[in-house]
Amino acid sequence: MFWERDLLSPQSISFSPTNANHSYNTHTGTLRGMHFQKSPHGQTKLVSCVSGKAWDVMVDLRDDSSTFGKWHATKLSAASGQAVLIPAGCGHGFVTLEPNTTIAYLIEGQYMPDQGRVLRWNDPTVAINWPVKDPVLSDKDAAAPDWDQCEF
Ligand SMILES: Cc1cn([C@H]2C[C@H](O)[C@@H](COP(=O)(O)OP(=O)(O)O[C@H]3O[C@H](C)C(=O)[C@H](O)[C@H]3O)O2)c(=O)[nH]c1=O
C-alpha cells in the first residue's frame, strides 16, 4: 500500500492528490531538480521509487518556516517501499543511483507550467550534499538560477 487517505489524517496531514506522475530515468546519475511552482501555486508530492534507487531531496522555500533554506534527503528504492511527503512550498529533486530508475509520485495541486521554477541543483547557498558530483541534467536544470535569482 502506497497511500491511504485515512492513514495520514491522524497525523493531521491532509493530502488530496489531483494527479499522479511517473519519471523514468535510464541512466545512473540522472538528476532532476530542484523543481517547484511559485507561491501560492505550490504542490504537495508523495514520492516513491517503483524501480531502481534514488536519492530524493526537498528544500524548504517557505520564508516563514524555521527550516527556510534547509534541505533534507531520503534514499528511496523499489525494495524498501518507502515514500516521502514533500510539502507545498518546498523544492523537489532527485538523483538516480541505479539504471532504469522510475520515480512515481502523487501530486496535490494543479500543474501550472507557467508557474514552474527551478533552483540550481548545486546552488552554494543551499549546498545540498549530492552523492553524485557530475550528474546528467536536462537543459532546463543545467540553466537554473541560483538562490538569489529565484522567485519563490
Ligand atoms: C510535472 C509535470 C510535467 N508534465 C510534462 C511537462 C513536460 O513536457 C514533461 C516533463 O516535465 P518536467 O520537465 O517538469 O519533468 P522532470 O524534469 O521529470 O521534472 C519532474 O521531476 C521533478 C523532480 C519534480 O518534482 C517535478 O514534479 C517534475 O518537474 O512532462 C506534465 O504534463 N504534468 C506534470 O505534472
Side-chain angles (χ1 to χ4, degrees), residues 19 21 23 32 35 45 92-94 105 111 140:
N19 54 299
N21 290 2
S23 171
R32 298 178 187 273
H35 298 172
K45 300 169 185 171
H92 175 235
F94 61 82
Y105 47 114
Y111 173 59
K140 173 179 75 169

Side-chain angles (χ1 to χ4, degrees), residues 12-147:
S12 69
I13 298 173
S14 90
F15 177 56
S16 305
T18 45
N19 54 299
N21 290 2
H22 266 199
S23 171
Y24 173 74
N25 304 269
T26 309
H27 305 294
T28 302
T30 301
L31 190 151
R32 298 178 187 273
M34 303 301 289
H35 298 172
F36 61 99
Q37 290 192 169
K38 199 166 166 299
S39 176
H41 307 292
Q43 297 171 304
T44 303
K45 300 169 185 171
L46 183 62
V47 184
S48 73
C49 178
V50 294
S51 73
K53 195 177 286 186
W55 200 73
D56 195 90
V57 187
M58 68 180 91
V59 56
D60 193 346
L61 306 175
R62 301 165 298 186
D63 59 10
D64 59 350
S65 165
S66 61
T67 52
F68 180 50
K70 303 294 182 205
W71 60 273
H72 174 79
T74 309
K75 193 178 278 189
L76 297 178
S77 69
S80 78
Q82 194 179 3
V84 59
L85 192 74
I86 316 274
C90 290
H92 175 235
F94 61 82
V95 66
T96 61
L97 302 175
E98 286 181 359
N100 305 315
T101 289
T102 304
I103 300 297
Y105 47 114
L106 298 177
I107 299 182
E108 177 185 75
Q110 185 188 354
Y111 173 59
M112 302 173 79
D114 58 328
Q115 299 299 322
R117 298 294 184 273
V118 195
L119 167 67
R120 186 157 68 93
W121 66 282
N122 58 351
D123 165 78
T125 302
V126 180
I128 298 169
N129 186 22
W130 297 97
V132 172
K133 300 306 173 200
D134 185 19
V136 176
L137 296 168
S138 68
D139 292 345
K140 173 179 75 169
D141 292 350
D146 273 343
W147 179 269

